[in-house]
Amino acid sequence: MGSVTRIVLQRLGLGLLTLFIVSIVIFTAVNMLPGDFAEAILGQGATPQAVAAIRHDLGLDQPPVSRYLEWLADAVRGDLGTSFAQANFASFVGSDAGAGMASVADTLVPRFRNTMFLAGVTAAIAVPVSLIIGVLAALYRNSVFDKVANMATLTSISSPEFFLAYILILFLAVLNPWLPSLSNIYDGMGFGERLEKTMLPALTLTLVVTAHMMRMTRAAIINLLASPYIEMARLKGLSPMRVIVRHALPNALAPIINVVALNLAYLITGVVVVEVVFVYPGIGQLFVDSVKIRDIPVVQACCLIFASAYILLNLLADILSILSNPRLRHPK
Amino acid sequence: MIVVYIIVGVVALIAAGWVFRAAGRATGRPAFRDMDLSTAFGYALGAVVVVWGIYAFFFVEAAVFFRWAVQGIIGFAIAAWIFRFIGRHVGPDSVRRQFRAMPLTASFGILTILIYAIVAIFAGVLAPHGQAEVFANVNVLPGGDPALGGDPAFPLGTDQIGRDLLSRLIYGAQNTVGIAFATTVLAFLLGGTLGFLAATVGGWLDNLLSRMVDVLMAIPSLIFALLLMTIASAWAGSEKWLLTVYMVVIIAVIDSTRVYRLARAVGSSIVVMDYIEAAKLRGEGMGYLIFREILPNATAPLLAEFGLRFCFVFLTIASLSFLGVGIQPPLADWGTMVRDLSQFINFAAFSPLTAALPLMAAGAIALLTVAVNFVVDWMLHRSSGLKG
């Protein structure tokens, strides 16, 4: 068991290192902006004094390395800075400097919770459905069902998310008003109502993610079907269902777990477009809005959150596939 | 209530399947004797779906979109079949041989790609109006019937500021596909060259490049593209065309990391071959090694990757445009069109053609990626030596 702990710790350390380097990349990218934050806030009417005042206020007169360390230290403590959308000239140089402005963290936390809810609902639908369809497609391989499933999943993988979203809106919201096409979620909403409002975006994401997971499940199982022990099980006279579920599936679990985790990581990015389509108040919507108005602290923070979620889930995929595969668990 | 219906339906289907199997067994066919109940259930379900589809197609007045979808699929299938038939009997022998073992999906893909290429290249000739030409009659409804608010001069109507939508849809092929193609080529030049270079030189260069690519790949690509586009939009200022150029470069760099991975992997398995050793001993230069020895042996996987990469780039650009930070007006592109026309979808019950407008633009994107995927699937299948 000792070697497993060591490998996991090794991977965790590697993940942290990646996250650290990614934060440097994000910080550097943002600092490639022409001019700086001060000029960005003030716009065209910037006087040299005002620019200098804001620079001092934000610590922009410090060298980049110390600014990076300070930003990182703040970010680790959960302080992601102040959103430009709430900041303006008066709030920086007026008497109430810094007062009455929402911090980035305050804006992010409720939206992050909403996005996690959406991702959770999607995963709860997508993972069982894709496993079942994948096993069925492997069981009835090369049948009509398999071919239809193959074509349908290939189509839904290659369609842009917004195409699927509008098709779902057309059929489930406009032509048959079963589900709301706008997800106006607010605090203090009941779970059932929240679930109903989240259903359409969750279904859209499910379509995208399920296709991928189902294809991988099918491929992983079919890969094993040529093995001698499957042949043996079949010759014993077991039913095809039992051969696949009891003999093939456990050995195919490692790649399947891997692909599930990778797809959850994909969900993190796919969420952006879907949230915009359904006006879902999540972190993706906030990210796109901030990109449009160039609200740098929010963009930076969202980017960091997306990147860490992505790295964490990839790490999880890595660790789980090591744990589920004895050959990786005891490297020679 | 819905749950009850579903349970009743499933039980009825199982019963129908059982009856079907029992009836089949009475004929004494071995296929029925070995059939398990779940397969029989599948047949019953399939039969119900087919019957329901035929009923909806012919008798339900409101199922306009369903009818269009079915007609579209059947039309495409027939077109693909005819295309394959022509390909099998016309043209040089080498082409005919390609078509002989081609599945219908692949011939559909090739046909679609050809049509897109023709529309993109001859957009200026095909489109009735200019892409940024503004007419006085705004918000003309599609259909071209004056009694319903249409205009024969604008078959698909005009948008909020009076631009002809059909022309914009056609020019969209040129802009969206053209820009995506240029981006993919750029990504391949960059990623392919660096990947082969890393594979041939090895050592510190390989390590450096690979670690850099690892870092870039650790950030989700759409998020990274959005972050860089924020910065690019600050750099571009009010020069809209410059932003499009920046977007091409940004997406090319982000996607070249994936190309690099593949090119390096393929390259490093080729580099250890004997003929490379021989070329090295002959004293050939780096350029000769990469372009004359490695590249010709890596075409098959790279070509397949080119198709897939094109799909990704195409979808990323469409998504960025849909989010409003991609291809900038006055250039017509499909992603922006979907966003601008998306509200029309609410009129689906009154005017199906109007509601179909945003879906046409989005469907144009989906159709091309599906087509490319079908062709790549076929190519991979063929090059892996699998038959049937």
Side-chain angles (χ1 to χ4, degrees), chain A residues 18 21-22 25 29 32-34 140 151 154 158 160 163 166 170 174-175 269 276-277 287 291-292 294 299 303 306 310, chain B residues 38-39 65 105 215 218-220 223 226-227 230-231 233-235 322-323 338 342 345 348 359 362-363 369-370 373-374:
Chain A
T18 320
I21 298 172
V22 164
V25 171
M32 269 163 35
L33 274 173
Y140 299 110
M151 286 242 281
L154 196 62
S158 19
F163 181 59
Y166 283 124
L170 178 67
V174 177
L175 290 177
T269 39
V276 170
V277 172
F287 184 53
V291 164
K292 280 191 194 149
R294 274 186 239 156
V299 170
C303 227
F306 278 126
Y310 192 70
Chain B
S38 49
T39 315
F65 288 99
T105 48
V215 169
I219 310 174
I223 305 295
L226 276 167
L227 170 74
T230 323
I231 294 150
S233 70
W235 276 98
F322 175 75
L323 297 174
V338 177
S342 64
I345 210 158
L359 294 179
T369 37
V370 172
N373 262 315
F374 278 155

Side-chain angles (χ1 to χ4, degrees), chain A residues 59-136:
Chain A
L60 291 180
D61 42 4
Q62 310 280 326
V65 176
S66 69
R67 259 191 299 145
Y68 167 72
L69 290 177
E70 201 170 315
W71 173 67
L72 190 66
D74 282 348
V76 169
R77 267 185 275 126
D79 176 10
L80 292 161
T82 310
S83 162
F84 283 176
Q86 272 85 13
N88 53 37
F89 180 66
S91 61
F92 274 100
V93 292
S95 51
D96 56 344
M101 292 184 289
S103 72
V104 173
D106 286 346
T107 341
L108 274 179
V109 169
R111 281 167 173 267
F112 185 68
R113 218 173 287 142
N114 287 342
T115 296
M116 285 329 266
F117 184 73
L118 174 57
V121 172
T122 308
I125 303 174
V127 173
V129 167
S130 58
L131 283 186
I132 291 172
I133 299 182
V135 168
L136 285 180

Side-chain angles (χ1 to χ4, degrees), chain B residues 75-154:
Chain B
F76 276 124
I78 293 173
W81 191 85
I82 293 175
F83 178 68
R84 188 176 65 174
F85 185 79
I86 294 174
R88 276 177 182 170
H89 295 274
V90 180
D93 207 30
S94 56
V95 176
R96 275 190 293 186
R97 199 174 313 131
Q98 298 289 325
F99 274 96
R100 209 169 300 151
M102 188 184 281
L104 207 54
T105 48
S107 80
F108 158 74
I110 293 175
L111 178 67
T112 312
I113 293 171
L114 276 181
I115 292 174
Y116 271 74
I118 291 169
V119 171
I121 293 168
F122 299 106
V125 185
L126 290 170
H129 308 284
Q131 57 176 323
E133 214 174 322
V134 176
F135 294 93
N137 24 5
V138 295
N139 283 332
V140 173
L141 288 179
D145 185 357
L148 295 173
D151 185 336
F154 310 110

Side-chain angles (χ1 to χ4, degrees), chain A residues 217-299:
Chain A
T217 308
R218 177 183 178 277
I221 291 177
I222 286 186
N223 251 343
L224 288 174
L225 288 183
S227 330
Y229 72 92
I230 297 287
E231 189 78 41
M232 172 71 200
R234 208 178 283 144
L235 291 177
K236 270 196 310 194
L238 295 184
S239 74
M241 188 66 155
R242 204 176 157 78
V243 169
I244 284 190
V245 174
R246 292 296 300 275
H247 294 254
L249 195 58
N251 281 303
L253 224 43
I256 293 175
I257 288 175
N258 208 353
V259 96
V260 167
L262 287 182
N263 269 286
L264 294 186
Y266 169 78
L267 213 56
I268 303 291
T269 39
V271 117
V272 175
V273 173
V274 172
E275 280 184 5
V276 170
V277 172
F278 292 98
V279 205
Y280 187 89
I283 201 165
Q285 169 95 35
L286 178 71
F287 184 53
V288 172
D289 287 346
S290 312
V291 164
K292 280 191 194 149
I293 59 170
R294 274 186 239 156
D295 193 340
I296 301 298
V298 180
V299 170

